[in-house]
Amino acid sequence: MYTITLNGNCSELSCDIFPPIEVENTARICLLSLQTNNSIPNIEPGCNAIGFRNFVGQNENVIIPTGSYELDDLESVINKFMPDYVTHFKLKANSNTLKCMISCSHEIDFSVENSVAKLLGFRNVVYTTGVTHESENTVNIMKVNCIKVECNLIVGSFCDGAPSQTIHELYPTVPAGYKIVEVPRHPVFYRLNTTSISKVNIVLKDQNDFLINLRGEPITIRLQITR
């Protein structure tokens, strides 16, 4: 039996092994543990902007700092950075419909580049002042539905019917800022695609195959190989 530990501070980890580990073709591999901090943002570049229009039609955009936000937090930070001419802005959740309610003293422009519209359930259009708007879709405040741990050594994993390299999936069960300690209760052992292991690559992706943004937090992953 062998164990391999990888450390880093991003969603792509790699290590070279010399001399290579030689195993039989019956060898199996599994994830033993994953440890990091839950700093995964739902607001980040690409989804961090909201626009306000003054009464002469000029736009001023608010860029929301990268972070993990609930709706109340978003309302507070937008109020902090919004233009001086905006005298009223409210952003609330409707717990019955799971949609978002928004109102403002000026027009809200969700058509701006890198808009937060989709996250809040709105369309990429301009919403008028003087009325409370309800989002057309449910709020999608948590962009990451699952974290897929991919390993370059495995065979036998499938995603939506296609072969994949996912050795384990998880979802953070702790609030933002807390420690994620993932130790599979029933580890799944996969066949290896080689009998000579000289390099190990680990990649963390979300359900849409986008890299997980760990925001520089340290991460440790431990693998086990059985003969």
Side-chain angles (χ1 to χ4, degrees):
M1 183 179 70
Y2 302 94
T3 60
I4 301 171
T5 300
L6 295 92
N7 296 288
N9 57 4
C10 67
S11 56
E12 295 178 289
L13 307 176
S14 179
C15 73
D16 295 311
I17 299 175
F18 184 82
I21 298 174
E22 304 295 338
V23 297
E24 301 292 334
N25 57 12
T26 56
R28 299 289 188 269
I29 186 171
C30 76
L31 177 82
L32 275 185
S33 64
L34 179 153
Q35 298 181 62
T36 187
N37 295 316
N38 186 9
S39 60
I40 302 170
N42 55 0
I43 297 292
E44 57 185 323
C47 177
N48 63 351
I50 181 172
F52 294 95
R53 285 190 178 181
N54 61 24
F55 291 127
V56 295
Q58 295 174 323
N59 248 35
E60 187 168 340
N61 295 346
V62 170
I63 304 300
I64 305 167
T66 296
S68 301
Y69 297 88
E70 297 291 343
L71 284 183
D72 288 344
D73 301 323
L74 276 179
E75 182 188 51
S76 296
V77 75
I78 291 172
N79 270 295
K80 178 180 178 181
F81 292 108
M82 67 186 183
D84 292 337
Y85 56 77
V86 179
T87 58
H88 165 82
F89 175 81
K90 282 192 176 181
L91 179 67
K92 300 296 181 186
N94 185 325
S95 58
N96 297 311
T97 63
L98 302 182
K99 294 184 177 182
C100 182
M101 312 298 293
I102 197 168
S103 62
C104 186
S105 61
H106 289 67
E107 291 184 339
I108 300 170
D109 189 354
F110 278 133
S111 67
V112 298
E113 189 176 6
N114 302 323
S115 170
V116 296
K118 185 176 180 180
L119 183 138
L120 299 176
F122 288 97
R123 293 179 294 132
N124 293 97
V125 298
V126 177
Y127 288 84
T128 57
T129 185
V131 63
T132 298
H133 297 278
E134 182 179 61
S135 62
E136 290 79 8
N137 303 299
T138 55
V139 174
N140 186 30
I141 197 72
M142 299 306 298
K143 297 194 302 180
V144 175
N145 189 54
C146 75
I147 299 174
K148 300 191 295 184
V149 183
E150 296 188 348
C151 176
N152 66 311
L153 298 175
I154 74 164
V155 173
S157 177
F158 291 81
C159 181
D160 294 329
S164 79
Q165 294 187 317
T166 302
I167 193 171
H168 187 70
E169 290 187 2
L170 67 140
Y171 180 80
T173 56
V174 296
Y178 284 75
K179 187 81 172 179
I180 297 173
V181 179
E182 177 73 5
V183 180
R185 181 175 297 180
H186 303 290
V188 178
F189 286 86
Y190 291 92
R191 289 189 296 114
L192 291 162
N193 57 21
T194 180
T195 57
S196 181
I197 302 169
S198 59
K199 190 176 187 66
V200 181
N201 294 325
I202 294 290
V203 181
L204 272 62
K205 295 181 179 179
D206 67 13
Q207 70 281 358
N208 297 315
D209 284 332
F210 292 115
L211 292 176
I212 297 293
N213 183 0
L214 297 180
R215 299 170 66 189
E217 293 284 358
I219 180 171
T220 298
I221 289 178
R222 196 162 184 239
L223 305 171
Q224 176 179 299
I225 298 173
T226 60
R227 294 179 184 272

Coordinates of all heavy atoms in Angstrom, one line a residue, residues 40-49 63-69 114-116 119 143-144 206 210-215:
I40 N -14.7 29.7 -1.1 CA -15.1 29.7 -2.5 C -16.1 30.9 -2.7 O -17.1 30.9 -2.0 CB -15.8 28.4 -2.8 CG1 -14.8 27.2 -2.6 CG2 -16.3 28.4 -4.2 CD1 -15.4 25.9 -2.7
P41 N -15.8 31.8 -3.6 CA -16.7 33.0 -3.7 C -17.9 32.7 -4.7 O -17.8 31.9 -5.6 CB -15.7 34.0 -4.4 CG -14.8 33.1 -5.2 CD -14.6 31.9 -4.4
N42 N -19.0 33.4 -4.4 CA -20.0 33.4 -5.4 C -20.0 34.7 -6.2 O -20.7 34.9 -7.2 CB -21.4 33.2 -4.8 CG -21.7 34.2 -3.6 OD1 -20.9 35.0 -3.3 ND2 -22.9 34.0 -3.0
I43 N -19.3 35.7 -5.7 CA -19.0 37.0 -6.5 C -17.5 37.0 -6.8 O -16.7 37.0 -5.9 CB -19.4 38.2 -5.7 CG1 -21.0 38.2 -5.4 CG2 -19.0 39.5 -6.4 CD1 -21.8 38.4 -6.6
E44 N -17.2 37.1 -8.1 CA -15.8 37.2 -8.5 C -15.8 37.7 -9.9 O -16.9 37.9 -10.5 CB -15.2 35.8 -8.5 CG -15.9 34.7 -9.3 CD -15.4 33.3 -9.2 OE1 -14.1 33.2 -9.1 OE2 -16.1 32.4 -9.2
P45 N -14.6 38.1 -10.4 CA -14.6 38.6 -11.8 C -15.3 37.8 -12.8 O -15.2 36.5 -12.8 CB -13.1 38.7 -12.1 CG -12.4 38.9 -10.7 CD -13.3 38.1 -9.8
G46 N -16.1 38.4 -13.6 CA -17.0 37.7 -14.5 C -18.5 37.7 -14.0 O -19.4 37.5 -14.8
C47 N -18.6 37.9 -12.7 CA -20.0 38.0 -12.2 C -19.9 38.9 -10.9 O -20.0 38.4 -9.8 CB -20.5 36.6 -11.8 SG -22.1 36.6 -11.0
N48 N -19.7 40.2 -11.1 CA -19.5 41.1 -10.0 C -19.9 42.5 -10.2 O -19.5 43.4 -9.5 CB -18.0 41.1 -9.6 CG -17.1 41.6 -10.7 OD1 -17.6 41.9 -11.9 ND2 -15.8 41.8 -10.4
A49 N -20.8 42.8 -11.2 CA -21.1 44.2 -11.5 C -22.6 44.4 -11.6 O -23.4 43.5 -11.9 CB -20.5 44.6 -12.9
I63 N -18.7 47.7 -8.9 CA -17.9 46.5 -8.9 C -17.9 45.9 -7.5 O -17.3 46.5 -6.6 CB -16.5 46.6 -9.5 CG1 -16.6 47.3 -10.9 CG2 -15.8 45.3 -9.6 CD1 -17.4 46.5 -11.9
I64 N -18.5 44.8 -7.3 CA -18.6 44.2 -6.0 C -17.3 43.4 -5.7 O -16.9 42.6 -6.5 CB -19.8 43.2 -5.9 CG1 -21.1 44.0 -6.3 CG2 -20.0 42.7 -4.5 CD1 -22.3 43.1 -6.5
P65 N -16.7 43.6 -4.5 CA -15.4 42.9 -4.2 C -15.7 41.4 -4.2 O -16.7 40.9 -3.8 CB -15.1 43.4 -2.8 CG -15.8 44.7 -2.7 CD -17.0 44.6 -3.5
T66 N -14.7 40.6 -4.6 CA -14.7 39.2 -4.6 C -15.0 38.7 -3.2 O -14.4 39.1 -2.2 CB -13.4 38.6 -5.1 OG1 -13.2 38.9 -6.5 CG2 -13.4 37.0 -5.0
G67 N -15.9 37.7 -3.1 CA -16.2 37.2 -1.8 C -17.4 36.2 -1.8 O -18.0 36.0 -2.8
S68 N -17.8 35.7 -0.6 CA -18.9 34.8 -0.4 C -20.0 35.6 0.2 O -19.9 36.1 1.4 CB -18.6 33.6 0.4 OG -17.5 32.9 -0.2
Y69 N -21.2 35.8 -0.5 CA -22.2 36.7 0.0 C -23.6 36.0 0.1 O -23.9 35.2 -0.8 CB -22.4 37.9 -0.9 CG -21.2 38.8 -1.1 CD1 -20.2 38.6 -2.0 CD2 -21.0 40.0 -0.3 CE1 -19.1 39.4 -2.1 CE2 -20.0 40.8 -0.4 CZ -19.0 40.5 -1.3 OH -17.9 41.4 -1.5
N114 N -20.3 41.6 -17.1 CA -20.0 40.9 -15.9 C -21.1 41.1 -14.8 O -20.9 41.2 -13.6 CB -18.6 41.3 -15.3 CG -17.5 41.1 -16.2 OD1 -17.5 40.1 -16.9 ND2 -16.5 42.0 -16.2
S115 N -22.3 41.2 -15.3 CA -23.5 41.5 -14.4 C -23.7 40.3 -13.5 O -23.5 39.2 -13.8 CB -24.7 41.7 -15.3 OG -25.9 41.8 -14.5
V116 N -24.3 40.7 -12.3 CA -24.7 39.7 -11.3 C -26.2 39.3 -11.5 O -26.7 38.6 -10.7 CB -24.6 40.3 -9.9 CG1 -23.1 40.5 -9.5 CG2 -25.4 41.5 -9.7
L119 N -27.1 35.5 -11.2 CA -27.0 35.0 -9.8 C -28.2 35.4 -9.0 O -28.6 34.6 -8.1 CB -25.7 35.6 -9.2 CG -25.3 35.1 -7.8 CD1 -23.8 34.9 -7.7 CD2 -25.7 36.2 -6.8
K143 N -23.1 29.4 -6.7 CA -22.8 28.9 -8.0 C -22.3 27.5 -8.1 O -22.4 26.8 -9.1 CB -21.8 29.9 -8.7 CG -22.3 31.3 -8.9 CD -21.4 32.1 -9.8 CE -20.0 32.1 -9.3 NZ -19.1 32.9 -10.2
V144 N -21.6 27.1 -7.0 CA -21.0 25.8 -7.0 C -21.9 24.8 -6.3 O -22.3 24.9 -5.2 CB -19.7 25.8 -6.2 CG1 -19.1 24.4 -6.0 CG2 -18.7 26.7 -6.9
D206 N -16.0 22.6 -10.6 CA -17.4 22.5 -10.2 C -18.2 21.7 -11.2 O -17.7 21.0 -12.1 CB -18.0 24.0 -10.1 CG -18.1 24.7 -11.4 OD1 -17.9 24.1 -12.5 OD2 -18.3 25.9 -11.4
F210 N -15.8 24.2 -14.4 CA -15.0 25.4 -14.2 C -14.1 25.1 -13.0 O -14.5 24.5 -12.0 CB -15.8 26.6 -13.9 CG -16.6 27.1 -15.1 CD1 -18.0 27.1 -15.1 CD2 -15.9 27.6 -16.3 CE1 -18.7 27.5 -16.2 CE2 -16.6 28.0 -17.4 CZ -18.0 28.0 -17.4
L211 N -12.9 25.6 -13.0 CA -11.9 25.5 -11.9 C -12.5 26.1 -10.6 O -13.1 27.2 -10.7 CB -10.6 26.1 -12.2 CG -9.7 25.4 -13.3 CD1 -8.5 26.1 -13.5 CD2 -9.4 23.9 -12.9
I212 N -12.4 25.5 -9.5 CA -12.8 26.0 -8.2 C -11.8 27.1 -7.8 O -10.6 26.9 -7.8 CB -12.9 24.9 -7.1 CG1 -13.9 23.9 -7.5 CG2 -13.2 25.6 -5.8 CD1 -15.3 24.4 -7.5
N213 N -12.3 28.3 -7.4 CA -11.5 29.4 -7.0 C -11.3 29.3 -5.5 O -12.2 29.6 -4.7 CB -12.2 30.7 -7.3 CG -11.3 31.9 -6.9 OD1 -10.2 31.8 -6.4 ND2 -11.8 33.1 -7.2
L214 N -10.1 28.8 -5.1 CA -9.8 28.7 -3.6 C -9.3 30.0 -3.0 O -9.0 30.0 -1.8 CB -8.8 27.6 -3.4 CG -9.2 26.2 -3.8 CD1 -8.1 25.2 -3.6 CD2 -10.5 25.7 -3.1
R215 N -9.1 31.0 -3.8 CA -8.6 32.3 -3.4 C -7.3 32.2 -2.6 O -7.1 32.9 -1.6 CB -9.7 33.0 -2.5 CG -11.0 33.2 -3.3 CD -12.1 33.7 -2.5 NE -11.9 35.0 -1.9 CZ -12.7 35.5 -0.9 NH1 -13.7 34.9 -0.5 NH2 -12.4 36.7 -0.5

